[in-house]
Amino acid sequence: MSFPRIRTLMMACSVVWAILLSGCALPAPAVPPIRDEDCVQAYDPDTDYFPHKTAIEYAEGFTLAYHRNYKVLEVLSPWPGAETSETYLLVQCGTPRPAGFEDGVHTIEVPVDSLVALSTTYLPHLETLDALEVLVGLENDAWVYSEDIRARVREGKVRVVGGGATVDLEAMLVLKPDLTLAYSLGFPDSDVHPALRAADQSVFLSTEFREPSPLGRAEWIKATAAFLNREAEAETYFNEMAHTYHTLVDRVPDEAARPTVFVNTPWEGVWYMAGGNSYVANFLTDAGAIYLWSEDESTEALFLDYEEVFAQAQDADYWLNVGGYPDRMALAVVDPRFTEFAAYQAGNLYNPDLRISDTGANDMFEGAVVRPHWVLADLIAILYPHLLPEHEFVYYRRLSE
């Protein structure tokens, strides 16, 4: 959620960002050279250059293996429907590239000193790892919630480069980042990585947005950390966060006492209901909800019409993620039939839009990616107010009259 904007139904209308150049390139943010202390000065084949290693526990989309002077990071399905994986060879700066790897392997020296992030979901990785200094470019600052990052754009330390078909190739060539964090939908007309790789730029295709579990999605911070040699920081943060998450899950009651929940609103006549094994559905289950489409096994959205949803959810206790509606009245104006749901009549409508910037950027699609424990606490406080009586909501708010 931004899961990259184009990939979420709540952000179905993406903003087209284009920079028109008037014959000369705009100045690029200064990119520091690789620091001497980051590179090996005298290579020893018997030395383990990665003393801090991390294990992958929840993420299903990538694997990470360590060797003495290189790491092998494999993205198992780099785009929907991909028949092959992508392998990234992360070689410690100042040491030789190992033999035995095919030409299709993407080789990147680590730690990287500069990178471009083409989704807001990668930005909290850098903030959490205290690595904002490596960020030199992003897709669109209007979509960024973090004031620290927006300030870096204003100061000229980070450049807006667009994304997908609108990416500013000239700006990317000027920046020459060590790495670009991007994603692929499997559509050549909209994917950015073919053009960047044709220009000899290194691109890592993240699939965190396809992870079905909140902790699995958050664990992609470890993939980013591998490029920065900051696994120790990632491991410490993730373990503490996951412990808090599990502690919250343990507080919810057994299934017999759980409230029923459904999500979303129709978009152009189609109600995109979260699949029963989706990220949203698993979040709700962890929060102690009975998600009304939990028996479905899909990780993708279900395409339903109003009648199908009403038949299943008319008596549901809660209606969450209702979209860009400021209050209940606005929802009723769009479709008076919405008032027939029991959740509407009880006032149990909630939306995750408490943290929104003056440009409309929603931190639910940014910082929340690495803070699923905050989201979970909000959900539990909605469903079971007595369990967290002192809770202050971070992302969710109740729709007013």
Side-chain angles (χ1 to χ4, degrees):
M1 294 175 179
S2 160
F3 323 123
R5 295 290 199 265
I6 193 171
R7 301 175 307 199
T8 61
L9 295 168
M10 290 184 68
M11 289 292 185
C13 296
S14 62
V15 178
V16 177
W17 183 269
I19 300 176
L20 301 177
L21 300 176
S22 56
C24 60
L26 296 174
V31 179
I34 293 177
R35 296 164 294 186
D36 289 341
E37 61 267 27
D38 290 334
C39 288
V40 173
Q41 301 303 309
Y43 172 61
D44 177 3
D46 294 324
T47 297
D48 183 351
Y49 290 100
F50 305 115
H52 299 291
K53 300 174 176 60
T54 187
I56 310 306
E57 301 178 60
Y58 303 93
E60 300 177 1
F62 76 99
T63 62
L64 180 60
Y66 290 87
H67 302 268
R68 290 186 184 278
N69 75 307
Y70 66 95
K71 316 168 195 178
V72 179
L73 199 167
E74 184 176 12
V75 176
L76 303 181
S77 180
W79 53 81
E83 297 180 354
T84 59
S85 63
E86 282 207 338
T87 301
Y88 300 85
L89 185 63
L90 282 55
V91 181
Q92 174 60 39
C93 179
T95 72
R97 184 185 191 275
F101 286 89
E102 302 175 355
D103 292 339
V105 171
H106 305 284
T107 302
I108 299 166
E109 281 195 341
V110 295
V112 298
D113 281 331
S114 60
L115 64 78
V116 170
L118 297 184
S119 168
T120 59
T121 55
Y122 316 138
L123 300 177
H125 294 178
L126 303 178
E127 285 192 304
T128 302
L129 297 172
D130 193 22
L132 280 184
E133 74 277 1
V134 305
L135 181 67
V136 297
L138 49 75
E139 184 174 3
N140 188 335
D141 60 328
W143 294 342
V144 176
Y145 178 81
S146 167
E147 178 54 35
D148 287 344
I149 295 175
R150 293 167 66 190
R152 293 179 71 85
V153 174
R154 292 193 298 269
E155 294 164 3
K157 296 177 181 178
V158 177
R159 181 166 174 175
V160 174
V161 299
T166 68
V167 70
D168 187 338
L169 285 174
E170 183 174 351
M172 292 295 292
L173 291 173
V174 171
L175 287 173
K176 296 180 182 178
D178 292 338
L179 181 68
T180 295
L181 303 177
Y183 59 92
S184 171
L185 298 176
F187 302 132
D189 291 343
S190 61
D191 285 343
V192 70
H193 66 282
L196 293 179
R197 286 176 175 170
D200 199 31
Q201 300 215 353
S202 296
V203 182
F204 174 65
L205 295 181
S206 172
T207 60
E208 45 76 28
F209 68 100
R210 296 173 61 195
E211 290 287 342
S213 75
L215 290 178
R217 187 167 295 189
E219 197 167 27
W220 278 77
I221 190 175
K222 296 180 181 180
T224 302
F227 289 105
L228 302 168
N229 285 354
R230 299 199 183 190
E231 286 94 331
E233 293 90 334
E235 188 84 0
T236 297
Y237 172 78
F238 186 84
N239 287 346
E240 292 176 355
M241 180 275 295
H243 175 74
T244 301
Y245 190 96
H246 286 302
T247 299
L248 287 167
V249 171
D250 290 341
R251 297 188 65 175
V252 302
D254 61 34
E255 190 167 333
R258 295 183 174 186
T260 52
V261 176
F262 70 109
V263 298
N264 300 343
T265 46
W267 175 265
E268 295 185 349
V270 178
W271 202 310
Y272 297 93
M273 190 65 64
N277 192 33
S278 66
Y279 174 78
V280 170
N282 287 320
F283 235 141
L284 293 173
T285 298
D286 287 348
I290 296 177
Y291 179 54
L292 291 175
W293 277 265
S294 61
E295 294 184 0
D296 173 80
E297 298 181 355
S298 174
T299 60
E300 308 296 332
L302 308 175
F303 302 163
L304 307 177
D305 58 32
Y306 180 91
E307 288 71 23
E308 290 176 287
V309 174
F310 187 74
Q312 183 81 346
Q314 59 180 315
D315 296 323
D317 298 307
Y318 291 89
W319 185 356
L320 306 181
N321 304 352
V322 297
Y325 298 98
D327 50 43
R328 292 171 63 208
M329 181 62 69
L331 199 61
V333 169
V334 169
D335 192 332
R337 294 178 299 176
F338 290 153
T339 64
E340 299 173 7
F341 285 96
Y344 182 98
Q345 296 169 4
N348 290 334
L349 285 74
Y350 290 83
N351 218 33
D353 57 7
L354 262 184
R355 290 165 69 94
I356 294 184
S357 73
D358 56 2
T359 62
N362 190 336
D363 195 45
M364 188 69 174
F365 308 131
E366 189 175 322
V369 174
V370 296
R371 301 184 185 98
H373 56 317
W374 290 6
V375 179
L376 183 65
D378 273 6
L379 291 172
I380 292 174
I382 290 170
L383 302 175
Y384 306 99
H386 64 284
L387 291 181
L388 300 174
E390 304 300 322
H391 178 72
E392 294 185 9
F393 284 91
V394 179
Y395 294 109
Y396 276 88
R397 69 173 178 91
R398 188 173 190 169
L399 267 65
S400 64
E401 294 294 335

